[in-house]
Amino acid sequence: MGRLAYIIGINKYLSWESLKCSINDAILMQEVLKACDFETELLLDSDRESLREALAAFSWKLKDYDAGLLYFAGHGVEVEGRQYLVPSDCVGFADESLLDGLVDTTELILNFSSSNDFTGIVLLDCCRKRAQKHFIARGASSQVRDIYKSRGVYIAFATGPDGAAHEIGNHGIFTYSMGNLIKEQGTEKIEDIFKSVRREVMKKHPNQIPWDYSSLLGDFYFKEQKTIPEVESRNLGELGTDTKLLTLIKQNLCYVDLISEIEHWFYTDLNNGFIGKKNKEQYILNILQKLDDLTLKNSREVTNIE
């Protein structure tokens, strides 16, 4: 079988504010997913017709794959739990015909549930702007919670309901963090990666909190897990050199950020083949112990000088 990803980025809008990072984000995610053995299709600045045709084609092709992933960067709208993509030619948000111009992801997400052996992933880097109630009256609520009945699905949002997705430099904060962490922690479970993504995004913009929903039936890894021989104290000792630890002490990080930094060291050494995956907890404890010992040592030296 295999993995298939449809990657969509829209910068140019006729009736919505144009964006500057969505295409960059889509190109970045294509590179990241190719490195994770996904076959990819890239769609840029798509209008309603081409976007709907693409999602229909994606849904049809999935029968030949055991994992499918939809990534979207652009404007998004939420109507009572249903997630809609805003194509480039969509009418403005206040227009009475808004619903007709949106592209619903519900059918695709439901199609992910066609087999217990299939994994469906949806990654949405867009605002989750809620449409007004008068749109719902036109029929949007007939299957309101359907996507939450699907199985084997993982959905990650750049932000919470009615929240905004922010940018930094040439990328969205969510995609930039996600891309880097998939590269770095791709052998971890998808849920663990997105916990790290959430922490990274909140460090850069505290008011943006990524959300995720999961009905996965098994574990999903972006990268194949490789068996790496255990390397014990040698590498842990090398990492915990006094110079590097002193730099960390001087940063005076809060506990959450401290653990995040040590985890970054761990995954760097893991990807370089220096340590085994199951060393993570011991690795962190080892570094914390070295930090305590070094802090105590420095404190004694200061006391002796005085």
Side-chain angles (χ1 to χ4, degrees):
M1 301 291 277
R3 299 170 162 190
L4 178 64
Y6 266 51
I7 301 161
I8 304 163
I10 301 178
N11 278 349
K12 296 180 181 178
Y13 284 91
L14 297 179
S15 302
W16 294 61
E17 180 183 358
S18 291
L19 303 172
K20 66 175 184 178
C21 296
S22 296
I23 288 179
N24 290 340
D25 288 340
I27 293 172
L28 171 63
M29 285 306 299
Q30 183 182 42
E31 294 173 355
V32 169
L33 294 172
K34 279 184 174 180
C36 297
D37 297 324
F38 277 87
E39 296 176 33
T40 63
E41 294 283 346
L42 181 65
L43 297 93
L44 303 176
D45 286 337
S46 303
D47 60 20
R48 173 179 172 273
E49 182 177 357
S50 59
L51 198 53
R52 287 187 174 181
E53 288 177 355
L55 291 189
F58 179 41
S59 184
W60 182 80
K61 289 179 181 178
L62 290 178
K63 66 183 187 301
D64 298 322
Y65 296 85
D66 48 26
L69 185 150
L70 173 67
Y71 170 85
F72 176 78
H75 286 297
V77 172
E78 181 173 316
V79 180
E80 282 202 346
R82 294 176 76 129
Q83 308 304 317
Y84 292 85
L85 313 182
V86 181
S88 62
D89 59 347
C90 184
V91 298
F93 185 75
D95 195 291
E96 288 288 338
S97 62
L98 171 64
L99 199 60
D100 295 329
L102 300 173
V103 176
D104 192 355
T105 62
T106 304
E107 290 304 317
L108 173 65
I109 294 171
L110 291 175
N111 193 49
F112 284 160
S113 298
S114 59
S115 169
N116 286 336
D117 298 324
F118 186 84
T119 299
I121 300 168
V122 179
L123 307 175
L124 301 178
D125 193 348
C126 54
C127 299
R128 297 175 65 185
K129 196 168 185 177
R130 285 176 170 165
Q132 300 298 322
K133 292 182 178 180
H134 64 271
F135 295 124
I136 299 172
R138 303 183 60 204
S141 60
S142 59
Q143 294 179 316
V144 162
R145 308 303 291 182
D146 272 356
I147 64 169
Y148 302 113
K149 297 177 183 178
S150 57
R151 66 181 185 272
V153 176
Y154 184 87
I155 307 173
F157 302 95
T159 188
D162 230 10
H166 300 280
E167 301 169 338
I168 182 170
N170 295 319
H171 291 285
I173 296 175
F174 176 70
T175 294
Y176 183 77
S177 301
M178 176 170 58
N180 285 337
L181 287 164
I182 290 174
K183 291 177 186 177
E184 187 177 281
Q185 301 181 20
T187 55
E188 292 285 293
K189 295 177 184 178
I190 189 171
E191 295 93 340
D192 292 335
I193 292 174
F194 278 91
K195 289 174 185 175
S196 297
V197 171
R198 186 176 298 116
R199 289 195 293 267
E200 284 297 309
V201 170
M202 292 178 65
K203 279 199 294 187
K204 294 178 174 65
H205 202 292
N207 292 328
Q208 181 177 339
I209 306 174
W211 282 63
D212 63 324
Y213 300 95
S214 176
S215 63
L216 292 180
L217 303 176
D219 295 331
F220 178 84
Y221 303 89
F222 281 99
K223 295 181 180 179
E224 180 183 357
Q225 291 184 296
K226 297 179 180 178
T227 302
I228 302 174
E230 292 290 334
V231 180
E232 300 297 341
S233 59
R234 170 178 166 269
N235 289 292
L236 292 175
E238 287 177 358
L239 179 64
T241 59
D242 284 3
T243 301
K244 194 163 187 175
L245 292 171
L246 281 170
T247 301
L248 191 59
I249 291 171
K250 289 177 182 178
Q251 291 178 13
N252 196 28
L253 301 174
C254 70
Y255 182 76
V256 172
D257 290 343
L258 174 63
I259 297 301
S260 179
E261 180 66 17
I262 296 173
E263 285 181 341
H264 175 72
W265 293 0
F266 171 80
Y267 287 114
T268 298
D269 271 9
L270 178 64
N271 288 336
N272 288 332
F274 293 151
I275 56 175
K277 181 175 184 295
K278 66 181 181 181
N279 267 348
K280 180 178 176 180
E281 290 185 4
Q282 185 57 47
Y283 183 101
I284 293 174
L285 289 173
N286 183 283
I287 297 301
L288 291 175
Q289 183 61 54
K290 285 178 178 291
L291 287 170
D292 285 343
D293 292 345
L294 187 57
T295 301
L296 181 60
K297 176 184 175 182
N298 290 343
S299 176
R300 286 172 177 170
E301 290 177 352
V302 171
T303 300
N304 290 336
I305 291 173
E306 292 176 349

